[in-house]
Every structure is written in structure tokens, then in C-alpha cells.
Amino acid sequence: MAQTARQIADDLRERIGSGELAPGARLPGEPALVRQYGVAKETARRALTLLVTEGLAVRRRGSGTYVREFQPIRRVANRRLAQEGWGRGRSIWAADLGERPMKVTGLHVHEAPAPDDIARALDLPTGSSVVIRDWLFVVEGEPVQAAVSYLPADLVRGSAIAREDTGPGGTYARLAELGAKPIRFVEELRARMPSQDETERLHLADGTPVVEIYRTALTEDDRPVEVNRMLLDAGVYVMEYHVTS
Amino acid sequence: MAQTARQIADDLRERIGSGELAPGARLPGEPALVRQYGVAKETARRALTLLVTEGLAVRRRGSGTYVREFQPIRRVANRRLAQEGWGRGRSIWAADLGERPMKVTGLHVHEAPAPDDIARALDLPTGSSVVIRDWLFVVEGEPVQAAVSYLPADLVRGSAIAREDTGPGGTYARLAELGAKPIRFVEELRARMPSQDETERLHLADGTPVVEIYRTALTEDDRPVEVNRMLLDAGVYVMEYHVTS
DNA sequence: AAGTGGTCTAGACCACTAG
DNA sequence: TAGTGGTCTAGACCACTTC
């Protein structure tokens, strides 16, 4: 009969690893662990908390604690290369990508001074005005990604980019019409734990990291014309990049 | 006088955000919070635990709890493109990249049957033999990345790749000599919380996610010749990708 | 209404770190 | 050795979900 929270967590982890407790299955609850292991409720709770912060389990209040499921959405950074046919059909993570429809909600457009890091990335003087477009991607009713796009106000003011409906082809088509067609992108990417705000905005389960991506769009003559900051639910996304040379 | 763990954490979070408690600074300890807020020790502890699992703080037993520092190492996936000059000097995250020397330790080479997912990625029959090279990257005495490279045994057996010292130019130079020069790569990337094993292997602080990358190397004629699985300490790395078109 | 997770208390003892 | 974090107990009350 195990005694510590860690040992109880080890037991449960092994039962998850072995498949005895499959993804989506209900774990023994706090009262059950108290009975089975003869520990205090807080100890049982700590054991489950360990699994939750490891990302192995998800708590549903009033219902139970469940083995986490991972059915990723695939984000392919360079579709063109990916579609040239190489490197296909050999994915590591099963890509239930396709056909869950992704919706955009909460789109909001306004103009404001650029944050310092954005101004720097856009090669603008500190405090320059930018058009800010922000929105949320939703899949099956659940938010999975928050995105904020920053564009130099002097460039896009008056165009459809400064309005909610950017028209056919979207922001990039409009940028092309303005003589600022993006053809190269630099993505900087980091993973970290979310803040409380972010947890709420993306409905994140405890123990879920986020992936923060800054994508800078550059024109033919190497001018940065957009910075897009994306915040992805890491429990939902797999990122794919195709690299040459 | 705040009461709950959450409220205490909010206070501390705000003091961190405002810069009053700078990265590396010592937070008020459990006894101090008990005195200041008039709560039980477990409640004070829970408040600090919230910050730790958010990745904002790091505990050092016997010493105190400290505001986390983030001084990333930059991993540039496609150096050639990066060095063509575009998109430089506009990084979002300050890249203290360069000059901390990175060492390889614990290199271990052996031959074994390929795990199913690796066999699939390498286009090999299930259970085919692969040469496995695994090692650890260490910076300033701290492990920051674990890597495991899988290569088809039929291809590399007998070459220096199957030995610990691969010689000048490393694995890729040897693959080129074998008529299997990698020229394209597919990287699949995911962030998640680490297992206990991984936490120990990489000396991860609580609240630190890992980034898991599978890189498949392809030859000119589109044959996969290596799968490299990397596990990165997300508290230490920023990834950079250059994407065209 | 019963069962589940969520939070808190007040106290105990241990293990590690620093001066 | 004093101060810090690490873990556990036994009990309380609350909020939410499910039936």
C-alpha cells in the first residue's frame, strides 16, 4: 500500500502508460484514492495534481479526473513546399488535421501606438502608429488560437486592411495591391506556461503550455510589413516546417 | 488583506509584472506570506505553487523562491537562408545566442529495432533495425537538449555513423559519402509538459514545458535517411524558422 | 440528493541550504 | 543552527455536475 502522493501518481501513470487507463478514461477520484491508499484527501488530491501538471490528466469539476486526449491540429508553415510532394505521408503525429472547420471570431480592428518590440520588428520608430487586427480561432466551439496582427498604419491606413472585412484574398492580397506583397516570413517560436488571462481566453486545461509564435512578413526588397503574434493551445497543435538545404 | 491563494498569487504576479520583483529576485517566502496575509502555511504555499506552475517562479529548496529568468538560446532551423541576410536584426526575443559554448555529453551509439513511428517515418518495414545515436547538449553545466538520431542500419552499418566518432563533417558528411546526402528536412514540433524522467534528465524546473521536435532528413530523390528526435528545455530555447513563398 | 472536485485551516515532521 | 521549502494529516465548508 503506497503512501505518498508521488507513489500514487506513479501507480496511475503506469496504468495510463500501459493503456489500462486509455485516453478519455476516468481516473479514480479523490475519495476512491483515499479509500484505496488510506491517505488524507489532500494527499490524494496532490497525486492527481501531479498528473494534471504533467499534462497527463484533466480535471472536470463535479464529474471526475480523466486521462487527457491529444488529437492535434496540424499547422503547416510553408504549404507550398509541403504540397510539392516531398516528405508526405510520413508524419510522426497522426494528423487528424483536415476537416474540422475552423472559424474566426471576435475580430477586432483598431489603430494604436506599436509596442516597443513590435516597432523594432517592423523597423518603425518607437511609438509609431500601427493597425492592429486581433481575433480568435475556434474549432468545434473551443478556442484554439489567439492571433494579433500588426501593420504599419502609414502603409495600410485607408485600405481594407484597416477595416474588419479585408475582402477577397485577405490582408496579403491587399498588401500586394499596396506594393508590399509579402514573400518571405521569419517565425520565432517559444513554448511556455500561460498566464491566467491566456488560460481563460483559450479555455486551457491546467497543465497545458502555449506556443507563442511571432511571424514577420517581408517583401521582395526585404521590408517588414506585418508582425503576427499567435498564441496556440499546445494541447491541440502540432507545427510543421519544411526546411531546405 | 487578501485571503486566498489566488489573490496572493495575483499580488505577487503584479509585482513581478511591474518590475518591482525583477528576474532573479527572491520572492517573499512561505513564512513571510503567512505573516503578511494571515493565512495558513499551505495556503501561502499554494500561492507560490501557482506562480511556479505558470512558469513565473522557481523554487530552490532551503533557499527561497525566485522570479524566473529567461535568457534564451536561439535555434535557427535553416541557417543558410538566415545568413542570406534577410530578416536579420529584427528579433522579437533578445538572442543571447552565440557565445555560450555548447557541449555534447553522454553520446551513446547502438543498433536496435526501430520503434513503430520511427520505422514509418523512415519508410522501413516494421521492426527494421536502425542505428541509434543519442546524446545530451550541455550549456554551462546544465543540460538543455536531449537528442536521439535514428538511421536505417542497412544504410549506415559499417560506416563511421555506427561508431561514436563520426569524423569530420559528422553524420551528414558520412551520409553524403554513402550516396544519401540530406538536402531537405521536415520538422514536426510539439510542446507539452515533461514526464518525470524527462524532468530529471534535463534538470527541468517545475512549470517548464518541453518542445519535442522530430526532424526527418530527405535526400534529393526524396528518400528519408534519418529521423532526429529532439527534446528541448522550453525555458531555454527560442526556435527560428525562415519560410519562403 | 449524492458524488465530485476546489479551497482552506492548524498543526506536525522532514530535508536541504546557508551563514 | 536557523531559515527555507517539501510533505502529510484530519477535518471543514463550498461549488459544480449528474441523475
Side-chain angles (χ1 to χ4, degrees):
Chain A
M1 187 176 281
Q3 309 278 1
T4 71
R6 221 177 276 273
Q7 286 168 320
I8 297 173
D10 288 346
D11 280 5
L12 294 173
R13 202 181 294 110
E14 198 185 314
R15 292 169 65 188
I16 293 171
S18 76
E20 180 194 337
L21 292 165
R26 189 174 181 287
L27 292 169
E30 294 168 9
L33 295 176
V34 166
R35 284 192 301 274
Q36 289 168 33
Y37 291 93
V39 295
K41 187 196 172 189
E42 277 287 346
T43 304
R45 186 170 177 70
R46 270 192 280 264
L48 292 171
T49 299
L50 281 169
L51 300 179
V52 169
T53 60
E54 282 169 24
L56 282 179
V58 178
R59 282 201 243 250
R60 289 182 212 143
R61 111 149 54 183
S63 166
T65 302
Y66 297 82
V67 181
R68 188 186 204 108
E69 302 180 80
F70 180 57
Q71 292 163 351
I73 296 170
R74 189 168 293 262
R75 174 182 185 272
V76 182
N78 24 15
R79 289 225 168 258
R80 191 182 59 82
L81 287 180
Q83 279 161 4
E84 271 174 13
W86 50 277
R88 302 204 45 81
R90 287 193 270 269
S91 317
I92 292 290
W93 288 295
D96 122 1
L97 72 157
E99 308 326 331
R100 296 191 283 177
M102 193 176 283
K103 284 186 200 165
V104 170
T105 65
L107 173 61
H108 178 231
V109 184
H110 69 290
E111 192 175 323
D116 285 2
D117 52 349
I118 300 294
R120 206 178 321 116
L122 284 174
D123 264 353
L124 295 175
T126 309
S128 299
S129 193
V130 286
V131 168
I132 302 175
R133 307 176 53 87
D134 76 23
W135 66 91
L136 215 52
F137 284 109
V138 174
V139 171
E140 289 163 9
E142 282 297 308
V144 296
Q145 176 185 162
V148 191
S149 172
Y150 301 88
L151 303 112
D154 287 347
L155 176 64
V156 303
R157 194 158 29 208
S159 79
I161 293 173
R163 294 189 287 276
E164 301 216 335
D165 183 3
T166 52
T171 298
Y172 290 174
R174 296 298 85 70
L175 280 173
E177 291 164 7
L178 292 167
K181 185 183 178 190
I183 60 159
R184 293 191 277 249
F185 304 87
V186 179
E187 298 206 346
E188 291 178 72
L189 186 151
R190 171 190 175 192
R192 59 173 173 78
M193 294 312 285
S195 70
Q196 206 133 314
D197 282 359
E198 294 164 344
T199 300
E200 286 161 19
R201 185 121 190 269
L202 290 178
H203 298 185
L204 297 169
D206 286 352
T208 308
V210 290
V211 173
E212 192 178 9
I213 304 178
Y214 281 88
R215 186 183 61 196
T216 306
L218 301 161
T219 60
E220 180 76 58
D221 52 333
D222 209 26
R223 186 165 47 117
V225 290
E226 187 217 15
V227 172
N228 192 337
R229 176 189 181 276
M230 291 160 269
L231 197 70
L232 282 61
D233 179 343
V236 164
Y237 270 97
V238 167
M239 274 66 60
E240 181 178 323
Y241 290 92
H242 293 242
V243 175
T244 315
S245 141
Chain B
M1 186 178 282
Q3 309 280 2
T4 72
R6 221 177 276 272
Q7 287 168 320
I8 297 172
D10 289 346
D11 279 6
L12 294 172
R13 202 180 295 110
E14 198 185 314
R15 291 170 65 188
I16 293 170
S18 77
E20 181 194 337
L21 292 166
R26 189 174 180 287
L27 292 168
E30 295 169 10
L33 294 176
V34 166
R35 283 192 303 274
Q36 290 168 34
Y37 291 93
V39 295
K41 187 196 170 187
E42 277 288 346
T43 304
R45 186 172 178 69
R46 270 193 280 263
L48 290 171
T49 298
L50 281 169
L51 299 179
V52 168
T53 58
E54 282 170 25
L56 281 179
V58 177
R59 282 201 243 248
R60 289 183 210 141
R61 105 147 60 181
S63 165
T65 302
Y66 297 82
V67 182
R68 189 185 203 108
E69 303 180 79
F70 180 56
Q71 293 163 351
I73 297 169
R74 188 169 293 263
R75 174 181 183 272
V76 182
N78 24 15
R79 290 227 167 259
R80 189 181 62 81
L81 287 182
Q83 279 161 5
E84 271 174 13
W86 51 276
R88 306 211 31 91
R90 289 193 269 267
S91 318
I92 292 289
W93 288 294
D96 120 0
L97 70 160
E99 308 325 330
R100 295 191 283 176
M102 195 176 281
K103 285 187 200 165
V104 170
T105 66
L107 173 62
H108 179 233
V109 184
H110 70 288
E111 192 175 322
D116 286 1
D117 52 350
I118 301 294
R120 206 177 323 114
L122 285 173
D123 264 352
L124 295 174
T126 308
S128 298
S129 193
V130 286
V131 168
I132 301 175
R133 308 176 52 86
D134 76 24
W135 66 91
L136 215 52
F137 284 109
V138 174
V139 171
E140 291 163 7
E142 282 297 309
V144 296
Q145 178 185 161
V148 190
S149 171
Y150 301 87
L151 303 110
D154 287 347
L155 175 64
V156 303
R157 193 159 31 209
S159 78
I161 293 173
R163 294 189 287 277
E164 301 216 334
D165 182 3
T166 52
T171 297
Y172 289 173
R174 296 298 85 69
L175 280 173
E177 291 164 8
L178 292 167
K181 184 183 180 189
I183 61 159
R184 295 190 276 248
F185 302 88
V186 179
E187 298 206 348
E188 292 179 72
L189 186 153
R190 171 191 173 192
R192 58 173 173 80
M193 293 312 286
S195 70
Q196 205 133 313
D197 282 0
E198 295 165 342
T199 300
E200 285 160 20
R201 184 119 191 271
L202 290 178
H203 298 184
L204 297 170
D206 286 352
T208 308
V210 289
V211 174
E212 191 177 10
I213 304 178
Y214 281 88
R215 186 183 61 197
T216 306
L218 302 162
T219 61
E220 180 76 58
D221 53 331
D222 209 27
R223 184 164 47 117
V225 291
E226 187 217 13
V227 172
N228 193 337
R229 177 189 180 274
M230 293 160 269
L231 197 70
L232 283 60
D233 178 344
V236 164
Y237 271 95
V238 167
M239 274 65 61
E240 180 178 323
Y241 290 91
H242 293 243
V243 175
T244 313
S245 145

